[in-house]
Amino acid sequence: MKLKKSLLTLGLAVASAFTLTSCGDDGVLLFSIEDDVALGAQVAHQVDSTYRAQGKLMERNSTNQQAYASLDKIVNRVLNSGEVQYRQQFAWDVKLIKDDEQLNAFATPGGHIYVFTGLIKYLSDEDHFAGVIAHEIAHADQRHSVKQLQRQYGINLLLSIALGNNPSALKQIAGQLSGTLAGLKFSRDAETEADNYSVEYLAGTDYYACDGAAGFFIKMNEEAAQGTPPEFLSTHPNPENRVENIEQKAQQVGCSVATAPDNDFTALKNALK
């Protein structure tokens, strides 16, 4: 623990010496994997505390055992696809937030994933839900969140948060990631990249339709066309031709688009009734 903290302190000192404040237009990331993990742990702790205080965090206890058993099966298929770059380095824990009005999910740096019950109840197809999970895993695995945060706040501030030295900024970032504040909006390029990786992750499962995310976004776009865009689209900008791009990526990969059974997703939905 002391060694990790000393490395973070050293990184902060180096960053200060060079006054590094953004990753630039080329997306170069100056934040290390270790710093990513440390920042994610701080943010996840803040998010947990916030939703726990509101009575919305569904704890991993006997009451919610069946829900998490079903959820973990779906998530672990994606994580164990062999395509997730930081499978061993990041935490990859998933938590349920009891809020039936929120059709959303998000991931923090370091692989902490949060899923709102509203999203689960909104969907009916396990492939589509797995596509959402794969999309969020991609945001963390491709480090989109920390890249955007580095652009917005600068590396010095992020390192201070990772060290636990800036609670007010930590609360703000946690609020952005969870969408309770203005939201951390990814670029359209980041969204397209997350879509593409969702195809690769699902393809690696040899279980889910690798274009599962496309079905999810078809449903989202239908809602948006009716003038009621779900929360997910407010924090995840919608690139042009999104569904077509996902389906084209699936063709390029040559992966199966056959629908998987909905058994685990059905069990998850039933556990939330």
Side-chain angles (χ1 to χ4, degrees):
M1 189 67 177
K2 289 182 178 179
L3 177 59
K4 181 178 287 187
K5 188 168 184 177
S6 66
L7 287 173
L8 282 166
T9 305
L10 177 61
L12 181 58
V14 171
S16 298
F18 287 95
T19 61
L20 302 171
T21 57
S22 79
C23 57
D25 295 334
D26 58 359
V28 174
L29 186 59
L30 303 168
F31 219 50
S32 73
I33 292 297
E34 292 77 14
D35 295 336
D36 205 331
V37 170
L39 175 65
Q42 292 283 350
V43 171
H45 179 74
Q46 178 64 46
V47 172
D48 288 358
S49 297
T50 299
Y51 284 115
R52 185 176 288 118
Q54 297 173 2
K56 294 182 177 180
L57 181 65
M58 295 180 63
E59 307 283 358
R60 283 183 173 267
N61 54 29
S62 57
T63 302
N64 302 313
Q65 183 176 359
Q66 183 56 57
Y68 276 109
S70 302
L71 178 63
D72 288 343
K73 288 180 182 178
I74 299 170
V75 174
N76 286 335
R77 286 191 186 105
V78 181
L79 289 174
N80 295 330
S81 64
E83 301 296 331
V84 178
Q85 183 176 0
Y86 296 111
R87 175 68 177 98
Q88 301 305 319
Q89 292 92 331
F90 287 175
W92 301 123
D93 57 344
V94 59
K95 297 164 189 173
L96 290 164
I97 306 298
K98 188 172 180 57
D99 188 337
D100 291 350
E101 301 303 314
Q102 287 283 353
L103 310 182
N104 210 349
F106 66 94
T108 75
H112 303 270
I113 304 167
Y114 295 83
V115 182
F116 292 88
T117 55
L119 177 67
I120 296 169
K121 294 182 178 183
Y122 173 76
L123 294 173
S124 57
D125 191 299
E126 187 167 324
D127 292 285
H128 300 172
F129 180 69
V132 179
I133 295 298
H135 181 95
E136 292 306 323
I137 288 173
H139 276 314
D141 196 40
Q142 300 306 309
R143 307 181 71 197
H144 292 157
S145 297
V146 77
K147 284 180 182 178
Q148 184 63 27
L149 290 170
Q150 184 178 293
R151 291 189 188 96
Q152 184 173 344
Y153 292 99
I155 192 170
N156 292 354
L157 182 61
L158 291 190
L159 285 171
S160 73
I161 295 170
L163 285 166
N165 294 336
N166 199 326
S168 61
L170 171 62
K171 187 174 292 187
Q172 180 176 346
I173 287 175
Q176 280 189 276
L177 287 168
S178 63
T180 55
L181 295 178
L184 183 70
K185 295 184 179 180
F186 296 111
S187 69
R188 292 180 182 271
D189 286 345
E191 285 299 298
T192 298
E193 188 173 45
D195 289 346
N196 287 339
Y197 274 100
S198 79
V199 173
E200 295 187 14
Y201 296 165
L202 294 186
T205 67
D206 292 325
Y207 187 84
Y208 292 119
C210 65
D211 63 347
F216 166 70
F217 287 116
I218 288 172
K219 187 165 186 173
M220 286 271 133
N221 290 337
E222 289 173 351
E223 294 280 338
Q226 295 174 8
T228 55
E231 179 69 20
F232 192 92
L233 292 182
S234 70
T235 54
H236 297 70
N238 202 6
E240 294 181 7
N241 304 317
R242 177 172 222 157
V243 172
E244 293 88 342
N245 289 339
I246 293 172
E247 292 174 345
Q248 182 179 9
K249 177 66 175 180
Q251 290 179 350
Q252 290 174 352
V253 174
C255 48
S256 172
V257 294
T259 302
D262 295 325
N263 299 347
D264 294 317
F265 191 57
T266 300
L268 172 58
K269 290 170 69 75
N270 289 338
L272 296 177
K273 289 181 178 179

